[in-house]
Amino acid sequence: MSTPGRAGKAGQGLQLAPFRGLRYVPERVGSLAAVTSPPYDVVVRPDGLRHLETADPHNIVRLILPQAATATERHRQAAETLHRWQDEHILAPDPEPALYVYEQRGGGILQRGLIGALRLSPREEGVVLPHEDVMPHIVEDRAALMRDTAANLEPLLFSYRGNGSSTGAAGIIDRVITSEPLLSTTTDDGYAHRLWSITDPDDLDLIGKDLTHQQALIADGHHRWATYLRLRAEQPAPGPWDFGLVLLVDTTRYPLRVRAIHRLLNRLPVADALAAVAGIFRVRTVDGPLPQALDALAEASAAGGNAFVLAGDGRFHLLDQPDRAFLDRVVPADRPEAWRALDATVLHSALLEHVWHVPDDPEHIGYIHETAAAVRQAERHGGTAVLMHPVREDVVRELAEQGVTMPRKSTSFGPKPATGLVLRSLALN
């Protein structure tokens, strides 16, 4: 099996290499749950950030979302914090390279996968399939953070489709989880997390052979994947930057949950949004509370056509049954019909660009995973929350296999791995 220090041949499917995980020393922190965080782009700011910072002085959010006056200071602060925590034995490396079996359980969901260092394959090789566009300024920020820390601080979530058998990687995972885990903790969201290591050379080789002909869909982490590729391109010779930290889940055994990512239009009041959309969509005020409004959205989506719920003025407004002739005029026609019919496509190409004239930048549009948080922030700041219905996974994969990217932040696959359970320091590889 290839390792980050011994690069294998490219184009051989997925190549997941063992690495020396950098992990919290339990005796040196309040609790493992208190030092974990959701992925950096899921942390709701500022409230969620403050909660994590105060949960434990060593919470991983101080590395993935450092707070300082400038970007340069933030990244330097994260690097200094990471080095200090290693010097103080807050974080310590495992004694030998390993792949890690990671399990999440909660809310009726069981997910298991392998955390390892994945060889970076260009998109044209068809090994890793992106399905969303990225924002250059975020890639730049993540690249600067990874460059300064020389670390992969959180695993990306990738999915692949195994053959459904209980042999190979699946059999090894089934056997490993019967042993004592390296760690076990339950986070505030009710999810239980367990982690095991795989170091046996025969097991590692068998997993490597099992993944040889597989391709993976980026379920979560497009910006960090683009960052991995960018940083690799900066290196003059093969080395640890040729690999990036991922969680690889076989979705034939453990299907992922797909949720929508909602939009927060910071400077567009609900009344103005509704006035502008009249005559283009049918607009109805629907009863709350929020779960009931989301049920109405699901029903409208199931009936066919595009649908959204607008919130922010204390009520919920369902938009559905759009003017098809209008959409035909404004939605780009050079993509497959499945792409043209996506809610995110219609939202960005029709509503944001042609109806609401909202600039596509962070000052005007926020992306929020948690529905209630989107509504709260819209109400608090006088903006509009655009609530979305999730896209089916088969549609995402079909478009990705055609090389067609969806509008960014179109989907939220989960459950997402907790950040802070295992890190990858490039200095250890």
Side-chain angles (χ1 to χ4, degrees):
M1 183 172 209
S2 63
T3 68
R6 186 175 73 251
K9 291 169 60 179
Q12 293 184 339
L14 299 174
Q15 298 177 57
L16 193 66
F19 68 103
R20 290 181 66 193
L22 187 63
R23 299 190 295 112
Y24 281 98
V25 178
E27 296 79 14
R28 299 284 288 147
V29 296
S31 73
L32 289 176
V35 295
T36 63
S37 165
Y40 80 98
D41 58 339
V42 181
V43 175
V44 178
R45 287 161 266 185
D47 297 345
L49 179 62
R50 283 196 295 266
H51 172 75
L52 292 165
E53 287 178 330
T54 57
D56 188 284
H58 302 108
N59 189 283
I60 193 70
V61 78
R62 297 181 184 275
L63 300 183
I64 63 172
L65 288 174
Q67 300 299 294
T70 68
T72 300
E73 291 175 3
R74 288 197 301 272
H75 304 142
R76 183 173 61 244
Q77 176 180 295
E80 292 172 352
T81 300
L82 177 60
H83 295 150
R84 184 175 70 253
W85 286 358
Q86 292 179 79
D87 291 342
E88 296 174 353
H89 204 59
I90 304 299
L91 291 166
D94 285 333
E96 57 183 323
L99 294 180
Y100 296 86
V101 176
Y102 176 49
E103 176 189 277
Q104 293 167 276
R105 187 190 296 266
I109 293 176
L110 172 64
Q111 178 173 285
R112 294 192 184 110
L114 292 167
I115 294 178
L118 185 71
R119 170 173 285 283
L120 309 182
S121 299
R123 177 177 175 178
E124 57 268 19
E125 293 182 6
V127 176
V128 173
L129 303 174
H131 69 269
E132 289 185 357
D133 295 328
V134 298
M135 292 176 270
H137 74 280
I138 295 181
V139 175
E140 172 60 34
D141 180 74
R142 291 293 104 183
L145 178 64
M146 287 190 202
R147 198 181 292 117
D148 284 6
T149 58
N152 300 152
L153 300 173
E154 45 188 339
L156 285 61
L157 177 60
F158 280 28
S159 72
Y160 75 102
R161 291 176 171 172
N163 59 18
S165 73
S166 58
T167 59
I172 293 171
I173 290 174
D174 289 345
R175 170 167 48 81
V176 166
I177 63 170
T178 64
S179 63
E180 188 70 18
L182 293 174
L183 64 85
S184 179
T185 190
T186 300
T187 45
D188 288 346
D189 57 7
Y191 276 87
H193 307 262
R194 295 197 293 175
L195 191 76
W196 297 261
S197 64
I198 301 174
T199 58
D200 181 83
D202 291 337
D203 286 345
L204 295 174
D205 283 341
L206 184 56
I207 291 171
K209 292 174 182 175
D210 201 19
L211 297 176
T212 296
H213 303 292
Q214 296 289 347
Q215 61 180 191
L217 177 72
I218 302 178
D220 185 68
H222 283 81
H223 288 91
R224 285 166 287 165
W225 178 253
T227 299
Y228 287 171
L229 296 178
R230 175 172 179 167
L231 294 175
R232 181 194 61 176
E234 296 175 359
Q235 307 309 310
W241 292 99
D242 293 338
F243 296 77
L245 187 64
V246 305
L247 166 63
L248 192 59
V249 176
D250 179 356
T251 53
T252 59
R253 306 189 81 208
Y254 304 104
L256 297 178
R257 179 189 62 208
V258 187
R259 288 182 171 174
I261 301 176
H262 310 293
R263 275 57 171 167
L264 177 62
L265 310 183
N266 298 306
R267 298 188 174 183
L268 180 66
V270 174
D272 293 349
L274 293 173
V277 83
I280 299 173
F281 276 77
R282 181 174 68 168
V283 180
R284 293 176 290 160
T285 299
V286 297
D287 294 332
L290 178 58
Q292 191 167 329
L294 294 177
D295 287 343
L297 175 60
E299 290 176 9
S301 297
N306 305 105
F308 310 93
V309 165
L310 306 189
D313 61 352
R315 297 180 295 172
F316 301 100
H317 310 274
L318 177 65
L319 277 56
D320 66 353
Q321 298 187 11
D323 180 339
R324 303 312 308 180
F326 173 76
L327 297 187
D328 288 341
R329 288 198 308 272
V330 300
V331 175
D334 59 347
R335 305 286 183 90
E337 181 56 33
W339 179 88
R340 301 186 75 241
L342 292 170
D343 287 340
T345 298
V346 170
L347 174 62
H348 284 263
S349 296
L351 290 174
L352 294 177
E353 183 176 348
H354 290 278
V355 177
W356 293 329
H357 306 290
V358 175
D360 191 4
D361 60 52
E363 183 178 344
H364 291 86
I365 305 176
Y367 296 86
I368 300 182
H369 293 71
E370 208 272 307
T371 312
V375 175
R376 278 197 308 272
Q377 292 208 31
E379 292 178 344
R380 183 181 302 172
H381 301 293
T384 296
V386 183
L387 307 183
M388 314 274 287
H389 190 66
V391 183
R392 299 194 318 275
E393 182 179 359
D394 60 335
V395 173
V396 176
R397 186 174 290 274
E398 175 189 342
L399 289 171
E401 289 173 347
Q402 297 177 55
V404 178
T405 55
M406 301 165 63
R408 55 181 171 263
K409 300 295 183 182
S410 293
T411 60
S412 176
F413 284 88
K416 303 180 189 302
T419 298
L421 296 181
V422 59
L423 289 63
R424 175 177 175 251
S425 169
L426 277 70
L428 296 172
N429 294 285

